[in-house]
């Protein structure tokens, strides 16, 4: 096991290249199973979760090769519709092979993803949508088993008690593109990653309208061809570095981004007093000496992203005044609070809201990463804390951030990796 060590107090400045989006790449790799030929996915980040998906696609029988940032996926005629526990249990997002397997083979057996530290991760909306298309679904021995004589388009409402669902929208869309007739998905997720998946499917020959909106219209086609596709930049990685610029009172420019994908964060950073400017594909964040507290509530896109909640909290811990951070997507997503408080922050929980009272300075400490975005928040806190911070179990961070210490070092941070 490894840990990240950070010597706090450095002001970050300079430019950082943002990698391709993990959460666009994963469903797009799964969607490649639907094609009759080879697909090549470009701008793929080099992350643990991507390697897990590559292993999963190979175990399903696809031929997958990787070369510097691109992945080729060639489905074969001997695809096996079984996603085993040993792989799915290491990455919940593996559930996104359910839709394409069902769409292509009319059957699928995927280990239930189970919960994770950010909360229970139900799949009732996935099941609701796939059953609406004609699948018979049972849950047996920890697996979700789906079978369909044929898949027929329907009108499907996919809103849940926490709003729309990103991967449920993806799964139903991937099952509908080869179904007979027309499918309407209402209250579809609008996240840019869902729009990117729709764009890839369209390149493959799918007929989809409304990608990136709450209403998707899909006209089933007979078959899909392989396609070449460059995934969008990772708005969560970009947002994490933007917060680092504000927190360290630095001057950070993130490059290769789509600024409007971070509108909600930019709005909050400006409200907190940071100076944020952007061009077509860069965003520059200059942190001001004294920032102002802002309240944040996470919502489905284009609302404030839950995946940036922990990072925003880290910023608020050193912002004078009181801010309230409310989590509407994963009400329990606060594993970072106790670790931040070990570094001297003053955060207390009231239901699914965190009340943050800013402190002058955090102090470096040994802290434990628990999930991908909580570990990012601990890294950010270490950047500004007084003294040394050791972030343990850093494999959580490696799931979603490519070469994070190199990128941070490039901005002037004193950060390195050590064996535990
Ligand atoms: C995607 O997960 C992302 N993962 C998550 O990012 C992200 O936090 C989440 O969307 C929300 O934006 C990937 O894309 C691989 P959801 P997903 O279904 O699709 C509830 C990261 O850090 N729900 O949109 O699994 C669910 O419990 C990860 O990169 C149901 O109730 O999330 C949650 O409260 C973490 N029933 C809400 O909807 C369902 O069937 C949103 O979840 C499905 C979800």
């Amino acid at each position: 096991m490894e840990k990240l060590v950070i010597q706090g107090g450095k002001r970050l400045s300079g430019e950082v290249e943002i990698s391709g989006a993990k959460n666009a790449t994963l469903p797009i790799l799964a969607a490649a199973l639907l094609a009759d030929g080879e697909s090549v996915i470009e701008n793929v980040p080099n992350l643990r979760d991507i390697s897990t998906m590559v292993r999963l696609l190979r175990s399903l029988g696809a031929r997958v090769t990787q070369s510097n940032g691109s992945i080729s996926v060639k489905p074969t005629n001997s695809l096996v519709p079984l996603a085993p526990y040993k792989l799915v249990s290491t990455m919940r997002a593996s559930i996104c092979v359910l839709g394409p397997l069902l769409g292509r083979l009319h059957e699928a057996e995927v280990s239930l993803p189970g919960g994770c530290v950010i909360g229970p991760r139900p799949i009732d909306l996935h099941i609701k949508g796939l059953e609406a298309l004609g699948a018979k679904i049972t849950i047996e021995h920890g697996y979700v088993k789906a079978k369909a004589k044929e898949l027929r388009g329907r009108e499907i409402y996919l809103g849940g008690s926490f709003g729309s669902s990103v991967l449920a929208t993806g799964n139903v869309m991937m099952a509908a593109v080869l179904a007979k007739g027309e499918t309407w998905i209402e209250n579809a997720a609008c996240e840019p990653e869902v729009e990117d998946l729709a764009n890839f499917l369209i390149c493959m020959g799918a007929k989809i309208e409304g990608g990136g909106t709450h209403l998707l219209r899909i006209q089933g086609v007979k078959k899909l061809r392989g396609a070449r596709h460059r995934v969008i930049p990772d708005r969560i990685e970009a947002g994490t570095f933007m917060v680092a610029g504000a927190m360290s009172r630095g001057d950070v420019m993130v490059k290769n981004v789509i600024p409007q994908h971070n509108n909600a964060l930019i709005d909050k950073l400006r409200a907190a007093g940071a100076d944020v400017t952007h061009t077509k594909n860069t965003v520059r964040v200059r942190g001001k000496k004294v920032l102002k507290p802002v309240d944040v509530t996470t919502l489905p896109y284009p609302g404030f992203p839950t995946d940036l909640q922990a990072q925003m909290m880290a910023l608020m811990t050193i912002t004078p005044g009181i801010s309230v951070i409310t989590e509407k997507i994963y009400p329990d997503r606060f594993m970072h609070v106790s670790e931040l408080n070990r570094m001297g922050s003053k955060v207390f929980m009231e239901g699914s809201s965190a009340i943050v009272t800013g402190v002058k300075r955090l102090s470096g400490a040994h802290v434990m990463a628990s999930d991908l975005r909580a570990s990012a928040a601990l890294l950010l806190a270490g950047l500004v804390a007084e003294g040394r911070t050791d972030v343990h179990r850093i494999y959580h961070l490696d799931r979603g951030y490519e070469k994070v210490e190199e990128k941070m070092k490039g901005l002037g941070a004193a950060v390195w990796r050590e064996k535990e």
Side-chain angles (χ1 to χ4, degrees):
M1 290 239 253
E2 295 181 309
K3 63 181 178 179
L4 267 196
V5 180
I6 308 115
Q7 196 59 38
K10 305 281 182 200
R11 184 179 169 280
L12 299 194
S13 70
E15 300 178 352
V16 58
E17 306 263 338
I18 298 303
S19 303
K22 165 179 85 81
N23 291 350
T25 304
L26 294 171
I28 284 172
L29 286 174
L33 292 170
L34 288 159
D36 278 356
E38 176 187 18
S39 294
V40 177
I41 314 304
E42 297 170 341
N43 195 33
V44 171
N46 179 15
L47 300 170
R48 284 184 58 211
D49 275 6
I50 303 300
S51 316
T52 303
M53 180 56 84
V54 167
R55 278 204 308 280
L56 176 54
L57 293 180
R58 286 177 177 149
S59 77
L60 295 170
R63 271 205 297 282
V64 186
T65 52
Q66 293 178 265
S67 74
N68 52 24
S70 291
I71 295 186
S72 150
V73 180
K74 267 187 218 149
T76 62
N77 291 328
S78 50
L79 284 181
V80 174
L82 169 66
Y85 173 76
K86 68 177 181 343
L87 279 172
V88 175
S89 56
T90 62
M91 183 181 69
R92 211 200 138 274
S94 310
I95 193 69
C96 68
V97 299
L98 180 60
L101 287 174
L102 192 63
R104 182 187 181 114
L105 303 174
H106 286 186
E107 65 171 314
E109 195 172 327
V110 178
S111 170
L112 278 170
C116 64
V117 289
I118 66 176
R121 307 291 294 272
I123 62 165
D124 55 303
L125 295 173
H126 300 243
I127 291 172
K128 173 184 177 182
L130 298 177
E131 283 181 335
L133 293 174
K136 293 273 167 290
I137 295 190
T138 55
I139 307 281
E140 292 166 35
H141 311 297
Y143 279 78
V144 51
K145 297 184 177 177
K147 264 194 187 319
K149 279 202 192 57
E150 71 165 11
L151 293 171
R152 186 164 284 287
R154 284 281 303 280
E155 203 173 295
I156 303 165
Y157 180 79
L158 263 195
S161 31
F162 298 93
S164 49
S165 162
V166 171
L167 290 182
T169 302
N171 261 332
V172 176
M173 185 160 54
M174 291 187 278
V177 289
L178 292 174
K180 285 188 173 48
E182 191 168 81
T183 300
W184 291 81
I185 303 177
E186 285 147 2
N187 206 335
C190 306
E191 273 70 4
E193 295 77 22
V194 177
E195 183 179 10
D196 205 29
L197 170 63
N199 290 337
F200 173 57
L201 288 165
I202 290 166
C203 284
M204 295 165 78
K207 288 189 170 34
I208 302 171
E209 290 168 29
T213 74
H214 277 307
L215 182 60
L216 287 172
R217 179 177 169 206
I218 300 154
Q219 188 62 43
V221 295
K222 286 240 174 314
K223 65 191 192 109
L224 296 172
R225 58 183 178 272
R228 181 176 287 272
H229 181 80
R230 182 178 177 77
V231 299
I232 55 172
D234 194 314
R235 62 191 168 101
I236 306 301
E237 183 196 20
T240 304
F241 279 98
M242 288 158 65
V243 172
M247 268 183 94
S248 64
R249 283 29 179 191
D251 181 352
V252 170
M253 177 180 280
V254 292
K255 298 173 68 176
N256 301 341
V257 296
I258 301 173
Q260 66 263 28
H261 287 174
N262 281 109
N263 275 348
L265 173 67
I266 290 170
D267 176 58
K268 289 297 177 186
L269 290 178
R270 283 176 173 155
D275 176 28
V276 186
T277 53
H278 65 82
T279 66
K280 198 162 84 46
N281 58 4
T282 68
V283 178
R284 182 179 179 186
V285 178
R286 276 170 284 190
K288 289 285 174 283
K289 196 117 185 63
V290 182
L291 290 173
K292 294 173 283 200
V294 291
D295 295 340
V296 173
T297 297
T298 65
L299 289 167
Y301 192 87
F304 191 93
T306 174
D307 292 350
L308 285 172
Q309 178 258 104
Q311 297 91 319
M312 194 68 194
M313 183 185 294
L315 172 62
M316 288 297 110
T317 63
I318 56 165
T319 300
I322 294 180
S323 54
V324 180
I325 298 184
T326 302
E327 179 55 74
K328 292 270 188 200
I329 308 293
Y330 296 111
D332 303 331
R333 191 176 197 169
F334 290 106
M335 294 294 284
H336 40 288
V337 168
S338 45
E339 296 305 296
L340 288 169
N341 284 345
R342 297 190 62 252
M343 297 178 71
S345 70
K346 283 193 173 44
V347 184
F348 80 91
M349 294 307 301
E350 190 59 51
S352 62
S353 290
I355 319 297
V356 186
T357 305
V359 295
K360 254 182 121 33
R361 196 86 201 265
L362 297 175
S363 60
H366 285 265
V367 289
M368 193 74 78
S370 55
D371 66 278
L372 171 49
R373 308 303 174 183
S375 27
L378 299 177
L379 167 56
L380 293 176
L383 291 174
V384 299
E386 196 244 325
R388 167 174 164 146
T389 298
D390 293 50
V391 184
H392 298 272
R393 297 190 184 170
I394 208 60
Y395 58 86
H396 288 290
L397 199 65
D398 294 334
R399 294 188 49 184
Y401 290 88
E402 185 178 21
K403 301 195 289 262
V404 66
E405 70 266 31
E406 279 166 49
K407 292 187 178 185
M408 284 291 181
K409 261 192 271 201
L411 293 171
V415 55
W416 61 95
R417 196 176 282 254
E418 282 186 10
K419 284 259 168 284
E420 284 284 11

